[in-house]
Structures are given as structure tokens and as C-alpha cells.
Amino acid sequence: MSVRTGQSRSGESRLSTELEDGRSVDVEITGSPDNKKRIDVRVERGRHWVLAVQDQVAGLILTLNENGQRIDNEIPSWLEPLLRRLGLKGIEA
């Protein structure tokens, strides 16, 4: 899984990576550098996870399907390792 990172003009952090099935994943991080961050993880033609960060631990707020409808709160196995690579401690249980 290769990761490409960047910064937008407003100071938001962005990264892109690719899943084993070839779909791309875009991650956008907004908020203060230490706390109260919001992380949006979008899979190409797939789900969108919205997480909040407090004390370097992410908590799932909601999960949306490809049509923007709220669905289950299942977290894929690849998401936590990806967030750890960004410097977070993990996802709150």
C-alpha cells in the first residue's frame, strides 16, 4: 500500500493510497494539529467514514455508503493501520 501525502492551501492534510483490490482511498485531515481533528476517509466508488480525533485516538462518528446514506459502523481491517501510519494511536473501541 503506497501512500501519497500533501497539504492543501487551507492547511488541511491529505493523503491517497490504494487498496489491494485497486480502489483508491483518499484521507483528508482537518482541525488543530493536536486535538479535535476530523478525518474523512473515502473509498473510490465506496464508503465514506467520518472520524473525530481526541488525544491522538480516532473515534468513528458515522459511516456513509456510496450514495451518502448513513449505514452500519463497521470499520474495515485496513483503516486502523492506515491511521497509525498517520501518527494516531488507533481507533476507539
mmCIF file of all heavy atoms in Angstrom, residues 51-52 54 56-61 73-75 80 83-84 89-93:
data_model
loop_
_atom_site.group_PDB
_atom_site.id
_atom_site.type_symbol
_atom_site.label_atom_id
_atom_site.label_comp_id
_atom_site.label_asym_id
_atom_site.label_seq_id
_atom_site.Cartn_x
_atom_site.Cartn_y
_atom_site.Cartn_z
ATOM 1 N N LEU A 51 -14.407 10.415 11.110
ATOM 2 C CA LEU A 51 -13.869 10.153 12.442
ATOM 3 C C LEU A 51 -13.456 11.473 13.088
ATOM 4 O O LEU A 51 -13.080 12.422 12.410
ATOM 5 C CB LEU A 51 -12.650 9.235 12.350
ATOM 6 C CG LEU A 51 -12.888 7.883 11.678
ATOM 7 C CD1 LEU A 51 -12.252 7.872 10.312
ATOM 8 C CD2 LEU A 51 -12.359 6.770 12.521
ATOM 9 N N ALA A 52 -13.528 11.501 14.412
ATOM 10 C CA ALA A 52 -13.025 12.634 15.186
ATOM 11 C C ALA A 52 -11.826 12.151 15.975
ATOM 12 O O ALA A 52 -11.770 10.986 16.381
ATOM 13 C CB ALA A 52 -14.104 13.152 16.129
ATOM 14 N N GLN A 54 -9.347 12.804 19.308
ATOM 15 C CA GLN A 54 -9.110 13.436 20.604
ATOM 16 C C GLN A 54 -7.952 12.706 21.256
ATOM 17 O O GLN A 54 -7.975 11.479 21.348
ATOM 18 C CB GLN A 54 -10.366 13.345 21.481
ATOM 19 C CG GLN A 54 -10.269 14.049 22.801
ATOM 20 C CD GLN A 54 -10.291 15.570 22.644
ATOM 21 O OE1 GLN A 54 -10.860 16.107 21.712
ATOM 22 N NE2 GLN A 54 -9.654 16.255 23.556
ATOM 23 N N GLN A 56 -5.078 11.976 20.159
ATOM 24 C CA GLN A 56 -4.437 11.078 19.185
ATOM 25 C C GLN A 56 -5.135 9.724 19.020
ATOM 26 O O GLN A 56 -4.537 8.766 18.529
ATOM 27 C CB GLN A 56 -2.953 10.876 19.518
ATOM 28 C CG GLN A 56 -2.153 12.159 19.491
ATOM 29 C CD GLN A 56 -2.241 12.864 18.133
ATOM 30 O OE1 GLN A 56 -2.121 12.248 17.097
ATOM 31 N NE2 GLN A 56 -2.465 14.158 18.153
ATOM 32 N N VAL A 57 -6.402 9.636 19.442
ATOM 33 C CA VAL A 57 -7.200 8.427 19.233
ATOM 34 C C VAL A 57 -8.421 8.810 18.403
ATOM 35 O O VAL A 57 -9.116 9.775 18.715
ATOM 36 C CB VAL A 57 -7.646 7.806 20.579
ATOM 37 C CG1 VAL A 57 -8.556 6.614 20.345
ATOM 38 C CG2 VAL A 57 -6.433 7.388 21.387
ATOM 39 N N ALA A 58 -8.667 8.064 17.324
ATOM 40 C CA ALA A 58 -9.803 8.339 16.450
ATOM 41 C C ALA A 58 -11.054 7.644 16.981
ATOM 42 O O ALA A 58 -10.980 6.537 17.508
ATOM 43 C CB ALA A 58 -9.506 7.854 15.034
ATOM 44 N N GLY A 59 -12.173 8.310 16.840
ATOM 45 C CA GLY A 59 -13.473 7.736 17.184
ATOM 46 C C GLY A 59 -14.396 7.867 15.990
ATOM 47 O O GLY A 59 -14.493 8.943 15.383
ATOM 48 N N LEU A 60 -15.065 6.794 15.636
ATOM 49 C CA LEU A 60 -15.948 6.801 14.475
ATOM 50 C C LEU A 60 -17.200 7.612 14.782
ATOM 51 O O LEU A 60 -17.865 7.392 15.793
ATOM 52 C CB LEU A 60 -16.332 5.367 14.094
ATOM 53 C CG LEU A 60 -17.198 5.215 12.861
ATOM 54 C CD1 LEU A 60 -16.461 5.683 11.605
ATOM 55 C CD2 LEU A 60 -17.636 3.772 12.702
ATOM 56 N N ILE A 61 -17.511 8.560 13.914
ATOM 57 C CA ILE A 61 -18.731 9.358 14.054
ATOM 58 C C ILE A 61 -19.840 8.739 13.223
ATOM 59 O O ILE A 61 -20.935 8.518 13.705
ATOM 60 C CB ILE A 61 -18.496 10.816 13.634
ATOM 61 C CG1 ILE A 61 -17.479 11.458 14.574
ATOM 62 C CG2 ILE A 61 -19.800 11.596 13.620
ATOM 63 C CD1 ILE A 61 -17.051 12.838 14.171
ATOM 64 N N ASN A 73 -21.730 0.822 11.233
ATOM 65 C CA ASN A 73 -20.479 1.406 11.706
ATOM 66 C C ASN A 73 -19.330 0.411 11.657
ATOM 67 O O ASN A 73 -18.434 0.440 12.487
ATOM 68 C CB ASN A 73 -20.653 1.953 13.122
ATOM 69 C CG ASN A 73 -21.456 3.231 13.126
ATOM 70 O OD1 ASN A 73 -21.442 3.983 12.170
ATOM 71 N ND2 ASN A 73 -22.180 3.476 14.187
ATOM 72 N N GLU A 74 -19.345 -0.461 10.664
ATOM 73 C CA GLU A 74 -18.272 -1.437 10.505
ATOM 74 C C GLU A 74 -17.000 -0.736 10.043
ATOM 75 O O GLU A 74 -17.016 0.087 9.128
ATOM 76 C CB GLU A 74 -18.689 -2.488 9.479
ATOM 77 C CG GLU A 74 -17.666 -3.580 9.305
ATOM 78 C CD GLU A 74 -18.136 -4.617 8.311
ATOM 79 O OE1 GLU A 74 -19.345 -4.888 8.253
ATOM 80 O OE2 GLU A 74 -17.275 -5.144 7.600
ATOM 81 N N ILE A 75 -15.895 -1.041 10.704
ATOM 82 C CA ILE A 75 -14.606 -0.453 10.362
ATOM 83 C C ILE A 75 -13.779 -1.516 9.650
ATOM 84 O O ILE A 75 -13.548 -2.591 10.194
ATOM 85 C CB ILE A 75 -13.880 0.041 11.628
ATOM 86 C CG1 ILE A 75 -14.706 1.133 12.305
ATOM 87 C CG2 ILE A 75 -12.488 0.538 11.285
ATOM 88 C CD1 ILE A 75 -14.179 1.558 13.647
ATOM 89 N N GLU A 80 -7.483 1.040 10.533
ATOM 90 C CA GLU A 80 -6.676 1.356 11.720
ATOM 91 C C GLU A 80 -5.178 1.407 11.404
ATOM 92 O O GLU A 80 -4.502 2.360 11.808
ATOM 93 C CB GLU A 80 -6.961 0.402 12.875
ATOM 94 C CG GLU A 80 -6.264 0.845 14.143
ATOM 95 C CD GLU A 80 -6.831 0.206 15.402
ATOM 96 O OE1 GLU A 80 -7.642 -0.726 15.311
ATOM 97 O OE2 GLU A 80 -6.438 0.657 16.485
ATOM 98 N N LEU A 83 -4.448 4.720 9.806
ATOM 99 C CA LEU A 83 -4.451 5.838 10.754
ATOM 100 C C LEU A 83 -3.208 5.823 11.642
ATOM 101 O O LEU A 83 -2.678 6.878 11.989
ATOM 102 C CB LEU A 83 -5.723 5.811 11.599
ATOM 103 C CG LEU A 83 -7.028 6.040 10.825
ATOM 104 C CD1 LEU A 83 -8.227 5.908 11.746
ATOM 105 C CD2 LEU A 83 -7.032 7.369 10.100
ATOM 106 N N ARG A 84 -2.732 4.646 11.982
ATOM 107 C CA ARG A 84 -1.495 4.559 12.772
ATOM 108 C C ARG A 84 -0.301 5.109 11.981
ATOM 109 O O ARG A 84 0.587 5.733 12.552
ATOM 110 C CB ARG A 84 -1.229 3.120 13.210
ATOM 111 C CG ARG A 84 -2.157 2.649 14.313
ATOM 112 C CD ARG A 84 -1.812 1.224 14.736
ATOM 113 N NE ARG A 84 -2.769 0.720 15.681
ATOM 114 C CZ ARG A 84 -2.694 0.900 16.997
ATOM 115 N NH1 ARG A 84 -1.698 1.582 17.510
ATOM 116 N NH2 ARG A 84 -3.610 0.404 17.798
ATOM 117 N N LYS A 89 -2.831 6.868 17.620
ATOM 118 C CA LYS A 89 -2.655 5.679 18.473
ATOM 119 C C LYS A 89 -3.577 4.544 18.052
ATOM 120 O O LYS A 89 -3.315 3.397 18.368
ATOM 121 C CB LYS A 89 -2.917 6.033 19.930
ATOM 122 C CG LYS A 89 -1.902 6.990 20.500
ATOM 123 C CD LYS A 89 -2.234 7.356 21.932
ATOM 124 C CE LYS A 89 -1.254 8.370 22.481
ATOM 125 N NZ LYS A 89 -1.646 8.844 23.803
ATOM 126 N N GLY A 90 -4.677 4.861 17.369
ATOM 127 C CA GLY A 90 -5.602 3.831 16.949
ATOM 128 C C GLY A 90 -7.023 4.350 16.907
ATOM 129 O O GLY A 90 -7.256 5.555 16.935
ATOM 130 N N ILE A 91 -7.970 3.415 16.852
ATOM 131 C CA ILE A 91 -9.394 3.740 16.822
ATOM 132 C C ILE A 91 -10.026 3.293 18.124
ATOM 133 O O ILE A 91 -9.814 2.168 18.562
ATOM 134 C CB ILE A 91 -10.108 3.061 15.627
ATOM 135 C CG1 ILE A 91 -9.508 3.560 14.311
ATOM 136 C CG2 ILE A 91 -11.605 3.337 15.666
ATOM 137 C CD1 ILE A 91 -10.081 2.894 13.088
ATOM 138 N N GLU A 92 -10.820 4.175 18.707
ATOM 139 C CA GLU A 92 -11.503 3.882 19.966
ATOM 140 C C GLU A 92 -12.481 2.722 19.775
ATOM 141 O O GLU A 92 -13.201 2.679 18.777
ATOM 142 C CB GLU A 92 -12.266 5.129 20.405
ATOM 143 C CG GLU A 92 -12.906 5.031 21.754
ATOM 144 C CD GLU A 92 -13.546 6.352 22.120
ATOM 145 O OE1 GLU A 92 -14.618 6.657 21.590
ATOM 146 O OE2 GLU A 92 -12.921 7.081 22.904
ATOM 147 N N ALA A 93 -12.470 1.814 20.718
ATOM 148 C CA ALA A 93 -13.349 0.634 20.634
ATOM 149 C C ALA A 93 -14.795 0.984 20.912
ATOM 150 O O ALA A 93 -15.111 1.897 21.581
ATOM 151 C CB ALA A 93 -12.900 -0.430 21.626
#
